[in-house]
Amino acid sequence: MSLLPLDPDQLLSTTRAVRKRLDFSREVPKDLVRECVAMALQAPTGSNVLTTQFVVVTDEDKRREVGRIYGEVYAGYRASAGYPGKLTEGAAETADTRTRMRVASSADFLGEHMGEAPVLVLSCSVGPNRDAAKAATGNVLPATWSFMLAARARGLGTAWTSMHLSREKDVADVLGIPFDTVAQAVLTPLAFTKGTDFKPADRPEPDAVIHWDQW
């Protein structure tokens, strides 16, 4: 498959969390997943020691069970005070509240449909014991982002999530992940996107977050 015609800045600025625009009807070829993992493995690792592993879930029953667990965790989040939809209740309509409502609606969709994605990908860290595996999850994060960038370049969408970690053992049991030596870090759906036009997010100007020489 040819890559999308994106220059580096476009790729970095338009790799967004995709939820409602994931195409659940299209199969994702395993070779594309392999290509994304190959790019992920080029990410930096502490002391050049590779601890990152990927669990790629294509089995429908397992996807739906992981999706069920994610949905139950999400339901608790949706009832919490930090849920974006609650933060806008009774508030005047502004650009900020509209953005929060869009985010809430998008997240709700994934909470209800995670298990319907044709592929689920769990990035994990492996170690000689659980403490060591958890300590090395810093290696997993740049690799996961590289995976997502590679997916975007191939017309695939992802969404960085980690709230399933409150039920990590349950997910490990579903997928046969050794809980004592493997720490999960990120769960993402993987699917072709409906259209490939994505825009940069609204973010502050650089000088709003830069502290020159001292805080």
Side-chain angles (χ1 to χ4, degrees), residues 25 36 51 55 60 78 96 103-105 107 114 120-121 126 128 130 139 166 178 189 193 202-203 209:
S25 69
C36 293
T51 64
V55 180
E60 182 177 1
R78 189 174 183 180
D96 181 63
V103 170
S105 176
M114 175 71 87
L120 297 180
V121 179
V126 64
R130 182 154 182 83
N139 289 335
S166 65
T193 57
D202 185 15
R203 294 289 191 261
V209 299

Side-chain angles (χ1 to χ4, degrees), residues 1-50:
M1 178 180 178
S2 61
L3 303 182
L4 297 178
L6 301 171
D7 66 36
D9 282 358
Q10 289 172 323
L11 180 64
L12 287 165
S13 63
T14 65
T15 301
R16 316 280 6 131
V18 185
R19 302 179 183 95
K20 290 184 177 181
R21 289 179 59 184
L22 296 172
D23 189 346
F24 295 154
S25 69
R26 293 181 64 186
E27 181 181 350
V28 176
K30 288 184 178 180
D31 281 348
L32 285 188
V33 180
R34 291 187 180 97
E35 289 177 12
C36 293
V37 170
M39 294 298 98
L41 295 178
Q42 295 297 319
T45 62
S47 299
N48 201 35
V49 175
L50 181 66

Side-chain angles (χ1 to χ4, degrees), residues 187-203:
L187 166 66
T188 179
L190 182 69
F192 284 103
T193 57
K194 299 175 181 178
T196 59
D197 55 320
F198 291 90
K199 298 178 181 179
D202 185 15
R203 294 289 191 261

Side-chain angles (χ1 to χ4, degrees), residues 3-4 13 37 46 56 62 97 100 129 142 145 161 170-171 182 186 199 205 209:
L3 303 182
L4 297 178
S13 63
V37 170
V56 180
K62 292 179 179 180
T97 57
R100 288 181 181 273
N129 53 59
W145 180 233
T161 75
D170 292 337
V171 173
V182 177
V186 179
K199 298 178 181 179
E205 291 297 319
V209 299

Side-chain angles (χ1 to χ4, degrees), residues 4-183:
L4 297 178
L6 301 171
D7 66 36
D9 282 358
Q10 289 172 323
L11 180 64
L12 287 165
S13 63
T14 65
T15 301
R16 316 280 6 131
V18 185
R19 302 179 183 95
K20 290 184 177 181
R21 289 179 59 184
L22 296 172
D23 189 346
F24 295 154
S25 69
R26 293 181 64 186
E27 181 181 350
V28 176
K30 288 184 178 180
D31 281 348
L32 285 188
V33 180
R34 291 187 180 97
E35 289 177 12
C36 293
V37 170
M39 294 298 98
L41 295 178
Q42 295 297 319
T45 62
S47 299
N48 201 35
V49 175
L50 181 66
T51 64
T52 303
Q53 301 281 309
F54 292 94
V55 180
V56 180
V57 188
T58 59
D59 178 84
E60 182 177 1
D61 291 340
K62 292 179 179 180
R63 284 188 286 109
R64 291 193 179 278
E65 183 60 15
V66 172
R68 181 188 67 79
I69 294 169
Y70 180 85
E72 290 177 357
V73 175
Y74 184 82
Y77 165 68
R78 189 174 183 180
S80 72
Y83 171 66
K86 284 191 179 296
L87 297 175
T88 60
E89 289 179 358
E93 183 173 327
T94 63
D96 181 63
T97 57
R98 286 193 295 271
T99 297
R100 288 181 181 273
M101 289 307 297
R102 284 198 302 271
V103 170
S105 176
S106 178
D108 289 350
F109 178 85
L110 190 60
E112 296 168 4
H113 299 283
M114 175 71 87
E116 297 173 32
V119 180
L120 297 180
V121 179
L122 278 154
S123 56
C124 307
S125 178
V126 64
N129 53 59
R130 182 154 182 83
D131 286 343
K134 291 179 70 175
T137 53
N139 289 335
V140 177
L141 306 185
T144 303
W145 180 233
S146 291
F147 178 94
M148 292 177 165
L149 292 169
R152 163 69 171 138
R154 289 160 175 78
L156 299 166
T158 56
W160 187 294
T161 75
S162 59
M163 66 173 59
H164 79 286
L165 294 178
S166 65
R167 298 270 301 274
E168 182 181 359
K169 181 63 166 59
D170 292 337
V171 173
D173 289 345
V174 171
L175 301 176
I177 299 173
F179 191 73
D180 291 340
T181 56
V182 177

